[in-house]
Amino acid sequence: MDYDQVSDQERLIIRFPYVTGENTPKGLAAKKFKELIEKRSNGKIEVQVFPNSSLYSDYKEIEQLQKGNVQMIAPHTAKFSEILPEAQLLDLPYLFNNHEEVDELAEGPVGAEISRLLEKKGFKLLAVWNNGFKQLTNNQKPIQTPEDLFGLVFRIAHSEVIKEQFELAGAKSIVLPFDELYRALEAGKVQGEENTVSNINNKRLYTHQEYMTKSDHGYLGYFVITTNQFWSSLPKDTKTMLEETIDEVTEWERQTAAKMEEEQYLQLKQQEDLSIYELSPKEKTEWRNTFHSTYQWFTNKIDNKVIEEYVKTK
Ligand code: LMR
């Protein structure tokens, strides 16, 4: 995009850092958002995207957004768990059966409630983007039953629900930022991790992992978010353009995430040094039962009718 026609005073810059690679659902959607907004605003809005934690690692992102040093971020919802414990709803094991159920939640009363809670904390939720379902990888042994997790050490994103999930199986968990994960696996600081197909593939997380279980045991998605302060500083027509574009990109992102999950799983299956065990529907039900007590554990920790009612239906 040629910005020569737009003076610095006229231009709005949106800095948008993220931690994953570019060829991921989040990376591709950020690129699409940038392209569409710059075109539609005739260069008056410039979106600067910073992939691969090149600007900040994931926990710093939220802090820097609050300080106004970046204007938009899309962290894994779990990374909001300290600011908003209710966000851990999305970490409950086997909460969703498919991507459609995730989208229904995001667009329905629970999504609206999360948005309201975030607003009270100073954030404007723009969209929920999907990545996909989490799988388990490790360098010790094939994991077929929850009992196989016993004694292993996994890297997790910061979330008490995820910690509880591993504790229930007698496994240990260590919280590390995403940009430290590859090295932690390489150095043997952790034996395994849980992540989506696209992250395992894109960051080559399988390199130091011999085993993967296609468990689909949890969801990983993103809060596409800005601050109330930044949002309220924007003119009405800019807000409308941003909202319409984000809605369009969100629809595209969700389709892309579902497609990438399928395609990249086939690529992982080609990795000669990675042995994959795929849970059957019956095994998934058994895993779900094993971890189901996290639901009650979670609702005891929060005080929110809308979310508690939703969990009860699960
Ligand atoms: C992780 O930390 O494993 C993921 O949340 C990274 C991401 O943003 O997908």
Side-chain angles (χ1 to χ4, degrees):
M1 169 81 46
D2 178 5
Y3 296 112
D4 289 352
Q5 305 307 312
V6 183
S7 73
D8 282 352
Q9 285 78 3
E10 272 184 304
R11 188 178 306 140
L12 173 73
I13 295 180
I14 297 180
R15 284 154 59 90
F16 183 179
Y18 61 91
V19 300
T20 59
E22 285 165 290
N23 190 25
T24 57
K26 179 157 61 179
L28 294 174
K31 181 164 175 271
K32 194 171 183 67
F33 171 71
K34 170 187 169 67
E35 285 167 359
L36 288 176
I37 279 294
E38 291 183 351
K39 191 155 158 244
R40 288 174 185 175
S41 69
N42 293 318
K44 284 199 175 144
I45 306 178
E46 181 185 347
V47 181
Q48 300 177 347
V49 292
F50 301 90
N52 291 310
S53 313
S54 55
L55 202 53
Y56 308 116
S57 85
D58 37 20
Y59 295 98
K60 291 265 158 53
E61 274 184 357
I62 301 179
E63 198 181 295
Q64 294 300 325
L65 179 74
Q66 287 173 312
K67 287 188 176 155
N69 291 333
V70 295
Q71 287 69 37
M72 211 171 135
I73 56 172
H76 174 188
T77 57
K79 290 167 190 168
F80 265 90
S81 65
E82 268 185 61
I83 293 177
L84 190 76
E86 290 86 349
Q88 295 172 100
L89 164 71
L90 297 162
D91 300 327
L92 289 174
Y94 293 103
L95 184 67
F96 305 113
N97 290 308
N98 50 48
H99 286 266
E100 289 70 38
E101 286 184 19
V102 180
D103 301 345
E104 269 167 35
L105 175 129
E107 304 310 325
V110 177
E113 180 64 4
I114 290 177
S115 174
R116 191 185 69 82
L117 295 172
L118 282 165
E119 186 153 1
K120 278 169 63 185
K121 307 267 174 181
F123 297 97
K124 160 93 182 149
L125 180 65
L126 299 165
V128 178
W129 286 355
N130 290 345
N131 185 327
F133 292 100
K134 290 184 291 185
Q135 320 301 341
L136 290 160
T137 66
N138 85 96
N139 66 1
Q140 297 291 306
K141 58 179 183 185
I143 307 282
Q144 299 179 353
T145 67
E147 290 76 46
D148 293 329
L149 295 166
F150 188 86
L152 298 181
V153 183
F154 287 85
R155 174 270 174 179
I156 60 167
H158 189 288
S159 158
E160 294 296 318
V161 165
I162 300 177
K163 186 171 172 223
E164 175 68 11
Q165 166 199 286
F166 281 106
E167 257 171 34
L168 270 176
K172 291 199 179 64
S173 60
I174 298 182
V175 176
L176 288 174
F178 188 56
D179 61 325
E180 289 178 26
L181 175 54
Y182 183 92
R183 279 189 301 273
L185 293 171
E186 185 180 38
K189 187 169 173 184
V190 291
Q191 294 164 324
E193 57 97 42
E194 50 160 35
N195 230 306
T196 60
V197 163
S198 88
N199 280 343
I200 295 169
N201 202 44
N202 186 268
K203 288 284 177 206
R204 303 173 67 85
L205 298 177
Y206 52 79
T207 312
H208 302 284
Q209 303 279 271
E210 271 166 66
Y211 307 99
M212 170 169 149
T213 304
K214 178 83 167 49
S215 50
D216 292 323
H217 67 275
Y219 166 72
L220 198 163
Y222 306 113
F223 287 150
V224 184
I225 209 158
T226 183
T227 56
N228 291 337
Q229 200 182 5
F230 175 69
W231 191 251
S232 58
S233 74
L234 299 173
K236 196 163 178 290
D237 57 341
T238 303
K239 283 183 189 161
T240 307
M241 188 197 297
L242 287 171
E243 275 175 334
E244 285 174 2
T245 305
I246 287 170
D247 285 352
E248 187 181 325
V249 173
T250 298
E251 208 178 307
W252 180 88
E253 194 276 344
R254 290 177 182 173
Q255 286 164 12
T256 304
K259 206 163 125 239
M260 282 186 110
E261 190 171 41
E262 263 177 50
E263 286 171 5
Q264 299 200 352
Y265 180 49
L266 298 180
Q267 286 175 32
L268 283 178
K269 280 176 144 177
Q270 306 295 316
Q271 293 301 328
E272 278 181 6
D273 297 332
L274 185 69
S275 144
I276 301 182
Y277 183 76
E278 204 172 306
L279 296 188
S280 67
K282 186 169 168 281
E283 284 171 317
K284 281 187 186 170
T285 306
E286 284 159 14
W287 278 60
R288 189 178 196 277
N289 292 341
T290 300
F291 293 112
H292 198 262
S293 63
T294 51
Y295 288 39
Q296 179 82 53
W297 184 91
F298 166 66
T299 50
N300 287 345
K301 300 250 169 214
I302 58 163
D303 181 17
N304 183 289
K305 287 264 161 326
V306 179
I307 294 176
E308 286 165 41
E309 286 305 316
Y310 177 80
V311 175
K312 270 195 210 144
T313 66
K314 292 286 176 168

